CSV table of all heavy atoms in Angstrom, one decimal:
chain,number,residue,atom,x,y,z
H,208,GLU,N,3.0,-8.2,34.2
H,208,GLU,CA,4.3,-8.4,35.0
H,208,GLU,C,5.0,-7.0,35.3
H,208,GLU,O,5.8,-7.0,36.2
H,208,GLU,CB,5.3,-9.2,34.3
H,208,GLU,CG,4.9,-10.7,34.1
H,208,GLU,CD,4.1,-10.8,32.8
H,208,GLU,OE1,4.7,-10.7,31.8
H,208,GLU,OE2,2.9,-11.1,32.9
H,209,GLY,N,4.7,-6.1,34.6
H,209,GLY,CA,5.3,-4.7,34.8
H,209,GLY,C,6.7,-4.6,34.1
H,209,GLY,O,7.2,-5.6,33.5
H,210,ASP,N,7.2,-3.4,34.0
H,210,ASP,CA,8.5,-3.3,33.4
H,210,ASP,C,9.6,-2.8,34.3
H,210,ASP,O,9.8,-1.6,34.5
H,210,ASP,CB,8.3,-2.1,32.3
H,210,ASP,CG,7.2,-2.6,31.3
H,210,ASP,OD1,7.2,-3.7,30.9
H,210,ASP,OD2,6.4,-1.7,30.9
H,211,GLU,N,10.1,-3.8,35.1
H,211,GLU,CA,11.1,-3.4,36.2
H,211,GLU,C,12.3,-2.8,35.6
H,211,GLU,O,12.9,-1.9,36.1
H,211,GLU,CB,11.4,-4.6,37.0
H,211,GLU,CG,10.4,-4.9,38.2
H,211,GLU,CD,9.4,-5.9,37.7
H,211,GLU,OE1,9.7,-6.7,36.8
H,211,GLU,OE2,8.4,-6.0,38.3
H,212,GLY,N,12.8,-3.4,34.5
H,212,GLY,CA,14.2,-3.0,34.1
H,212,GLY,C,14.1,-1.8,33.2
H,212,GLY,O,15.1,-1.4,32.7
H,213,ARG,N,12.9,-1.2,33.0
H,213,ARG,CA,13.0,-0.1,32.1
H,213,ARG,C,12.9,1.3,32.7
H,213,ARG,O,11.9,2.0,32.5
H,213,ARG,CB,11.8,-0.3,31.1
H,213,ARG,CG,11.9,-1.5,30.3
H,213,ARG,CD,10.7,-1.9,29.6
H,213,ARG,NE,10.7,-3.3,29.2
H,213,ARG,CZ,11.3,-3.7,28.0
H,213,ARG,NH1,11.9,-2.8,27.3
H,213,ARG,NH2,11.3,-5.0,27.7
H,214,THR,N,13.8,1.6,33.6
H,214,THR,CA,13.8,2.9,34.4
H,214,THR,C,13.8,4.0,33.5
H,214,THR,O,13.2,5.0,33.7
H,214,THR,CB,14.9,2.9,35.3
H,214,THR,OG1,16.2,2.5,34.5
H,214,THR,CG2,14.7,2.0,36.4
H,215,GLN,N,14.4,3.9,32.3
H,215,GLN,CA,14.6,5.1,31.4
H,215,GLN,C,13.2,5.3,30.8
H,215,GLN,O,12.9,6.5,30.5
H,215,GLN,CB,15.6,4.8,30.2
H,215,GLN,CG,17.0,4.9,30.7
H,215,GLN,CD,17.9,4.2,29.6
H,215,GLN,OE1,17.5,3.2,29.1
H,215,GLN,NE2,19.1,4.7,29.4
H,216,GLN,N,12.5,4.3,30.4
H,216,GLN,CA,11.2,4.5,29.7
H,216,GLN,C,10.1,4.7,30.6
H,216,GLN,O,9.0,5.2,30.2
H,216,GLN,CB,11.0,3.4,28.8
H,216,GLN,CG,12.0,3.4,27.7
H,216,GLN,CD,12.0,2.0,26.9
H,216,GLN,OE1,11.2,1.2,27.2
H,216,GLN,NE2,13.0,1.9,26.1
H,217,ASP,N,10.2,4.4,31.9
H,217,ASP,CA,9.0,4.5,32.8
H,217,ASP,C,8.4,5.8,32.9
H,217,ASP,O,7.2,6.0,32.7
H,217,ASP,CB,9.4,4.1,34.2
H,217,ASP,CG,9.3,2.6,34.4
H,217,ASP,OD1,8.6,1.9,33.6
H,217,ASP,OD2,9.8,2.0,35.3
H,218,PRO,N,9.1,6.9,33.0
H,218,PRO,CA,8.5,8.3,33.1
H,218,PRO,C,7.7,8.6,31.9
H,218,PRO,O,6.7,9.3,31.9
H,218,PRO,CB,9.6,9.3,33.3
H,218,PRO,CG,10.8,8.4,33.5
H,218,PRO,CD,10.6,7.0,33.2
H,219,ILE,N,8.2,8.1,30.7
H,219,ILE,CA,7.6,8.5,29.5
H,219,ILE,C,6.3,7.5,29.3
H,219,ILE,O,5.3,8.0,28.9
H,219,ILE,CB,8.6,8.4,28.3
H,219,ILE,CG1,9.7,9.2,28.5
H,219,ILE,CG2,7.8,8.7,27.0
H,219,ILE,CD1,10.9,9.1,27.7
H,220,SER,N,6.6,6.3,29.6
H,220,SER,CA,5.4,5.3,29.3
H,220,SER,C,4.3,5.6,30.3
H,220,SER,O,3.2,5.4,29.9
H,220,SER,CB,5.9,3.9,29.5
H,220,SER,OG,6.4,3.6,30.9
H,221,SER,N,4.6,6.0,31.5
H,221,SER,CA,3.5,6.3,32.4
H,221,SER,C,2.7,7.4,31.9
H,221,SER,O,1.4,7.5,32.3
H,221,SER,CB,3.9,6.5,33.8
H,221,SER,OG,4.7,7.7,33.8
H,222,SER,N,3.2,8.4,31.1
H,222,SER,CA,2.4,9.5,30.7
H,222,SER,C,1.4,9.0,29.8
H,222,SER,O,0.3,9.7,29.7
H,222,SER,CB,3.4,10.6,30.0
H,222,SER,OG,3.9,9.9,28.8
H,223,TYR,N,1.5,7.9,29.1
H,223,TYR,CA,0.5,7.5,28.1
H,223,TYR,C,-0.7,7.0,28.8
H,223,TYR,O,-1.8,6.9,28.3
H,223,TYR,CB,1.0,6.4,27.2
H,223,TYR,CG,2.1,6.9,26.3
H,223,TYR,CD1,3.4,6.4,26.1
H,223,TYR,CD2,1.7,8.0,25.4
H,223,TYR,CE1,4.3,6.9,25.2
H,223,TYR,CE2,2.6,8.5,24.5
H,223,TYR,CZ,3.9,7.9,24.4
H,223,TYR,OH,4.7,8.5,23.5
H,224,ASN,N,-0.5,6.5,30.1
H,224,ASN,CA,-1.7,6.0,30.9
H,224,ASN,C,-2.5,7.2,31.4
H,224,ASN,O,-3.4,7.0,32.0
H,224,ASN,CB,-1.2,5.1,31.9
H,224,ASN,CG,-0.6,3.8,31.4
H,224,ASN,OD1,-1.0,3.4,30.2
H,224,ASN,ND2,0.4,3.2,32.0
Side-chain angles (χ1 to χ4, degrees):
Chain H
E208 294 88 69
D210 301 320
E211 276 96 21
R213 296 170 195 277
T214 47
Q215 286 164 323
Q216 290 160 8
D217 273 340
I219 302 165
S220 62
S221 67
S222 71
Y223 289 124
N224 296 330

